[in-house]
């Protein structure tokens, strides 16, 4: 019996003498060298008692060694559990208790703080940003040949925790088949080949950087320019060597602000892909004007990997996430019943990419994963007349004011179009008369001083009165998580008492 994920992604590296990774200083790691590193790490993990099905938890900085750890866990048939390095010791304590890993691997600087939180049943090793650490020491001198442990497509490969913007983070159980099917589909759909070089500046504790970018490069035989994070000058330096780039919207807005970014700088790149957060239509158009090509936006989730994509060949429409990927079914529902094109409802997804459920949460799994295989995403959307999917927002962000449903995205699009507004976030806040009231948080373009009254007045003509924000504030930056998503829960908490008493202040318009 084979190990489907390892065989497809990592085994081909064994005989590859060409570069798999290009490091920030230009040094190269061949496919064969990386495969050897995986094998040595796998032997070290086995020596630490890691068995098939055990969880291997990693809270480490991005590095070639950190990526090899993913390969080693796959070779062993273990379940890889990557964590955001920004999590505090207290947060890691929760994940340790929930996932019950066999082994925790952390940065050496975190070991002392985490020591007291690690149960006696959990081993602990270190792996630092520069590739050193106790795990690396254990791997030195080990054999560079490790036959992968036999696994089935239905066996768990990863436990990936949701971002936890509401309540506790949930562990999404992703199988070998989930990850492999998505990598195969995306590589074909986006036309990746062994001639491609992917500029990789994403983190590798998240679906986007680990299971989309990395897996697509691996399965197609592409190389990766492996940067520790996004830095505009570094990206511009490496861009002439890249043929593709994946990023979050913030990457593209920062490139647009960077001196020297133009069509010549982007000339060698055949495909720019954006995801993890909505790409503003204005950014889409500005990038096309500057770089001479359209960004391809797609839609995915921790629980499903990628679901849709704008076409590689065809019209990449700003403000949409394209069509369902091959093998993926998508429907828009209201109370579980499919509704007509053009109507807004819940996005439900079914396909080989959809996860097995939430770790240790059978009731939540039954609530969100229907018996027929459709996953209730929590995202609200609609199909337009041409079949493109539009994401309207999250169900939890839906505002119900005076009995009327208000979709924040509709209001945000109009606010973002007001001169001087850089970006907006619209939330619902408790209101003594309406139950909830629409509230806008704005950021201004450089050098602009926004008058919130004038901004809100600009919405009077194009928007029904019940959708008008009843107040607005201007902030320097919108709070975001590690993948660039605006954290509306943080905004709701910060401004939750705004309408605690009846509004009489004329600067807070009704």
């Amino acid at each position: 019996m084979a190990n489907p994920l390892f065989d497809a992604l990592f085994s081909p590296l064994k005989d590859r003498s060409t570069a798999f990774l290009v490091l920030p200083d230009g040094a190269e790691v061949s496919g064969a060298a990386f495969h050897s590193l995986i094998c040595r790490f796998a032997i070290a993990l086995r020596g630490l008692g890691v068995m098939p099905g055990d969880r291997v938890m990693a809270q480490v900085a991005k590095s070639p060694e950190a990526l090899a750890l993913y390969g080693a866990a796959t070779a062993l048939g273990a379940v890889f559990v990557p964590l955001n390095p920004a999590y505090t010791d207290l947060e890691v304590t929760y994940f340790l208790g929930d996932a019950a890993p066999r082994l925790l691997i952390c940065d050496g600087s975190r070991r002392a703080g985490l020591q007291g939180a690690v149960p006696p049943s959990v081993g602990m090793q270190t792996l630092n940003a520069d590739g050193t650490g106790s795990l690396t020491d254990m791997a030195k001198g080990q054999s560079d040949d490790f036959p992968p442990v036999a696994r089935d497509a239905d066996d768990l490969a990863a436990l990936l925790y949701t971002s936890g913007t509401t309540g506790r983070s949930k562990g999404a159980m992703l199988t070998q088949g989930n990850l492999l099917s998505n990598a195969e589909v995306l590589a074909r759909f986006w036309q990746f080949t062994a001639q491609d070089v992917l500029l990789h500046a994403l983190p590798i504790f998240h679906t986007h950087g680990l299971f989309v970018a990395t897996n697509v490069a691996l399965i197609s035989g592409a190389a990766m320019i492996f940067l520790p994070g996004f830095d505009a000058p570094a990206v511009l330096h490496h861009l002439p060597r890249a043929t593709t780039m994946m990023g979050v919207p913030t990457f593209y807005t920062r490139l647009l602000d960077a001196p020297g970014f133009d069509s010549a700088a982007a000339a060698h790149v055949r495909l720019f892909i954006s995801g993890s957060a909505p790409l503003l239509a204005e950014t889409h158009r500005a990038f096309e004007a500057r770089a001479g090509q359209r960004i391809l936006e797609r839609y995915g989730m921790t629980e499903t990997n990628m679901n849709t994509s704008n076409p590689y060949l065809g019209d990449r429409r700003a403000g949409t996430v394209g069509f369902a990927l091959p093998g993926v079914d998508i429907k828009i529902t209201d109370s579980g019943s499919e509704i007509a094109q053009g109507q807004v409802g819940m996005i439900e997804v079914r396909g080989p990419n959809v996860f097995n459920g939430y770790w240790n949460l059978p009731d939540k799994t039954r609530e969100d994963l229907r018996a027929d295989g459709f996953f209730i995403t929590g995202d609200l959307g609609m199909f337009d007349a041409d079949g493109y999917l539009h994401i309207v927002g999250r169900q939890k962000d839906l505002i119900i004011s005076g009995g009327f449903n208000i979709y924040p995205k509709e209001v945000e699009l109009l606010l973002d179009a007001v001169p001087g507004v850089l970006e907006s976030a619209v939330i619902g806040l408790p209101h003594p008369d309406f139950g909830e009231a629409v509230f806008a948080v704005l950021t201004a373009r450089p050098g602009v001083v926004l008058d919130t009254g004038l901004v809100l007045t600009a919405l009077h003509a194009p928007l029904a009165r019940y959708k008008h924000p009843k107040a607005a504030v201007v902030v320097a930056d919108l709070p975001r998580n590690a993948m660039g998503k605006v954290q509306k829960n943080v905004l709701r908490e910060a401004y939750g008492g705004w309408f605690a008493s009846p509004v009489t202040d004329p600067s807070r318009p009704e």
Side-chain angles (χ1 to χ4, degrees), residues 198-331:
L198 172 68
L199 197 153
H200 193 307
L202 293 159
I204 57 171
F205 58 81
H206 187 272
T207 295
H208 193 170
L210 188 60
F211 299 143
V212 180
T214 300
N215 285 359
V216 167
L218 282 164
I219 204 164
S220 62
M224 295 193 293
I225 299 171
F226 206 61
L227 304 182
F230 183 88
D231 174 74
V235 168
L236 283 171
H237 172 74
H238 289 284
L239 210 53
R241 184 172 180 177
T243 64
T244 59
M245 174 177 161
M246 297 186 195
V248 298
T250 305
F251 287 11
Y252 296 109
T253 57
R254 289 179 181 173
L255 274 179
L256 287 169
D257 289 338
F261 179 70
D262 53 22
S263 58
H268 194 246
V269 180
R270 67 172 180 85
L271 181 61
F272 290 97
I273 300 171
S274 181
S276 295
L279 180 72
L280 294 178
E282 181 181 344
T283 303
H284 193 285
R285 290 189 289 267
F287 193 91
E288 182 180 10
R290 181 84 63 81
Q293 55 178 294
R294 291 187 173 187
I295 296 170
L296 185 151
E297 190 170 10
R298 85 301 181 279
Y299 162 58
M301 306 181 69
T302 299
E303 294 91 339
T304 65
N305 292 297
M306 296 304 102
N307 302 310
T308 75
S309 174
N310 267 271
Y312 180 73
L313 299 173
D315 186 13
R316 302 174 191 169
R317 294 193 181 177
T320 81
V321 291
F323 308 98
L325 287 165
V328 177
D329 297 319
I330 295 181
K331 61 182 180 179

Side-chain angles (χ1 to χ4, degrees), residues 399-434:
I399 302 166
I400 304 176
S401 184
F404 293 100
N405 288 355
I406 301 161
Y407 301 105
K409 187 68 173 178
E410 179 184 11
V411 185
E412 289 165 354
L413 288 171
L414 291 170
L415 286 169
D416 294 343
V418 175
V421 174
L422 177 62
E423 192 175 5
S424 63
V426 169
I427 56 176
L429 298 180
H431 190 282
D433 298 324
F434 298 100

